[in-house]
Amino acid sequence: MFSFMFLLMLVPHELLSSTHVAVISPQDPVLPIGSSLTATCTLAPGLGLQAGSLFWTLNGLSVCSSSYSVLSPDTLSVTLHNLNGSQQQSGDNLVCHGADGHVLAGSCLYVGRPPEKPVNLTCWSRNTKDLSCRWSPGGRGETHVRTKYTLKYKLRWYGREKECEIYSTGKQRYSCYIPRNLALFTPYEIWVEAANQLGSATSDITTLDILDVVTTDPPANVQVSRVGVLEDQLTVRWASPPELKDVLFQAKYQIRYRLEDSSEWKVVDDVGNQTSCRLAGLRPGTVYFVQVRCNPVGIYGSRKPGIWSDWSHPAAASTPISERLQSGSCDPKPGEQNSTLRRELKQFFGWVRKHASGCSGMSIKLYDQWRVWLQKTHKTRNKILQDDNS
């Protein structure tokens, strides 16, 4: 035991972790989930170490010694069953140790599954000259082993097969960008191939015309403002998308708005090609959030609509406070209701004295005629106010 410990003290830690001390076989295998593996740790000759004194760890945890077999004085094996999917991207997770815990050798086990057919392949263009595509991994998604995705495309009836070269990383890793050299008025066939060391799969082919998948960035410079003193209206203005300034098209816009304290949006569909819109029927003295999005239609005479852009950043404005709200009361108190009733009755009897002869003329019909007259009076007054504010 003394000579064994003395030998370990003489061997540097870096050497103990190298292939000069021991070798694990197989090295860095790629295995399907649920499979079994027998690995061996073979010591370098002349070190004075014994295979029977070694032990194994997998993912930092000791492996039960009942799965060991001493094949020779310098070779120890371990058998692993029903392996689970690993997230290992680099580094050794199956490690052979000396009796004192020193690392003698390591191997990286990649355990996963073959890819399934990629799905949800969608593409869009922002200026008729480029194309962006994204997709989702098929089936259960995560393969647990390094999988390469390749987006390929070609003209439908002629032309050679090409590969997309600009791939995104991170959360958008299942996407690719083709910046130039695309043809118009001719459909493309586009598909995605997935491959790893356990297998390969190919998505369904998507056929598209560039002009049918044009979209834009959200409309910029969205502004919301009051319409004079009108307490139930706001005006929304925005700028047309700059990406298509040199393209013959007609934009279609949608607006949605909501109350400040609400998550429910109301959508205005009939905005058309104009870059402003007046919202009416709003609540006085209330903050509204407004967003706009764009759909480029009729590009170069295409009859198909484009793809809706994302919604713009929210813009906000408040409607003017009505005179009733400015008085500090949202609902009239009983005394105020009685005062309003007395005022209306006074107006009614004054109107009766002018339009009726004596009390015999007073009836429900006469009261209805008075209400019609009162409504016309209010409409005339509101029209004069709107004309003054326009």
Side-chain angles (χ1 to χ4, degrees):
M1 176 63 72
F2 173 77
S3 61
F4 172 70
M5 291 300 297
F6 180 72
L7 179 61
L8 287 177
M9 291 173 65
L10 291 178
V11 179
H13 178 72
E14 292 80 3
L15 183 59
L16 287 173
S17 300
S18 71
T19 57
H20 296 291
V21 176
V23 175
I24 290 180
S25 180
Q27 270 292 306
D28 305 339
V30 179
L31 305 166
I33 292 174
S35 63
S36 298
L37 170 72
T38 297
T40 60
C41 178
T42 303
L43 295 167
L47 296 178
L49 303 178
Q50 296 294 318
S53 66
L54 309 182
F55 68 93
W56 294 88
T57 61
L58 177 64
N59 296 323
L61 302 176
S62 295
V63 179
C64 181
S65 60
S66 62
S67 61
Y68 300 175
S69 293
V70 178
L71 303 182
S72 69
D74 58 1
T75 302
L76 179 69
S77 72
V78 65
T79 299
L80 307 171
H81 296 287
N82 196 26
L83 291 169
N84 293 321
S86 68
Q87 301 291 340
Q88 201 76 8
Q89 297 298 320
S90 63
D92 296 332
N93 55 352
L94 178 62
V95 180
C96 177
H97 299 263
D100 65 343
H102 276 98
V103 174
L104 302 179
S107 178
C108 185
L109 305 188
Y110 299 97
V111 184
R113 59 173 65 94
E116 297 187 47
K117 180 174 70 175
V119 295
N120 301 328
L121 175 59
T122 57
C123 302
W124 64 94
S125 173
R126 293 196 179 277
N127 54 20
T128 73
K129 300 178 180 66
D130 68 351
L131 191 68
S132 298
C133 296
R134 64 168 172 250
W135 60 90
S136 301
R140 287 165 287 187
E142 179 62 65
T143 61
H144 299 286
V145 296
R146 193 180 304 277
T147 301
K148 180 182 180 181
Y149 291 89
T150 305
L151 185 137
K152 297 184 176 182
Y153 62 100
K154 74 178 190 68
L155 292 170
R156 185 176 186 181
W157 294 298
Y158 57 91
R160 62 184 180 86
E161 180 181 296
K162 298 181 180 180
E163 291 186 10
C164 181
E165 298 179 353
I166 305 176
Y167 291 87
S168 299
T169 57
K171 293 183 179 180
Q172 302 297 324
R173 66 184 183 276
Y174 302 118
S175 62
C176 196
Y177 178 63
I178 304 170
R180 64 183 69 87
N181 299 327
L182 293 169
L184 301 180
F185 308 106
T186 303
Y188 277 93
E189 292 182 346
I190 302 176
W191 66 97
V192 176
E193 296 177 357
N196 60 29
Q197 290 181 264
L198 298 175
S200 62
T202 302
S203 72
D204 294 333
I205 294 176
T206 295
T207 302
L208 60 85
D209 191 310
I210 301 297
L211 295 180
D212 294 337
V213 294
V214 177
T215 188
T216 71
D217 286 331
N221 301 324
V222 178
Q223 299 178 0
V224 186
S225 57
R226 295 179 176 181
V227 184
V229 296
L230 294 180
E231 59 193 32
D232 66 338
Q233 298 186 27
L234 291 172
T235 294
V236 186
R237 294 182 175 85
W238 60 91
S240 59
E243 301 93 338
L244 299 176
K245 63 181 179 180
D246 298 325
V247 179
L248 178 62
F249 79 106
Q250 183 175 14
K252 179 181 179 181
Y253 295 99
Q254 271 188 346
I255 296 175
R256 69 177 186 178
Y257 62 95
R258 65 173 176 84
L259 298 173
E260 181 183 26
D261 56 354
S262 172
S263 60
E264 182 179 350
W265 293 92
K266 293 184 178 180
V267 178
V268 181
D269 281 316
D270 55 349
V271 180
N273 192 37
Q274 57 190 355
T275 55
S276 66
C277 179
R278 181 178 294 191
L279 303 177
L282 306 180
R283 184 184 299 176
T286 304
V287 175
Y288 283 87
F289 287 94
V290 181
Q291 291 179 295
V292 186
R293 67 176 181 172
C294 175
N295 187 331
V297 298
I299 296 180
Y300 292 128
S302 172
R303 295 184 178 181
K304 294 184 178 180
I307 299 175
W308 283 107
S309 72
D310 293 331
W311 290 102
S312 66
H313 292 296
S318 63
T319 51
I321 300 176
S322 68
E323 293 182 1
R324 187 168 62 88
L325 290 178
Q326 285 177 337
S327 68
S329 174
C330 295
D331 294 311
K333 298 177 181 178
E336 293 173 340
Q337 290 179 331
N338 293 336
S339 176
T340 301
L341 179 60
R342 285 195 299 270
R343 184 172 61 252
E344 288 190 355
L345 287 174
K346 184 177 179 180
Q347 290 177 339
F348 172 60
F349 287 120
W351 184 86
V352 166
R353 282 196 298 270
K354 184 181 295 185
H355 294 85
S357 55
C359 294
S360 59
M362 295 180 59
S363 64
I364 295 298
K365 183 177 180 180
L366 190 60
Y367 179 80
D368 291 339
Q369 292 176 356
W370 171 74
R371 293 295 301 173
V372 170
W373 170 84
L374 188 63
Q375 290 175 4
K376 288 181 178 179
T377 303
H378 287 170
K379 287 182 179 180
T380 302
R381 183 183 61 191
N382 291 340
K383 187 175 185 308
I384 292 173
L385 288 175
Q386 290 177 0
D387 292 341
D388 291 341
N389 292 324
S390 62

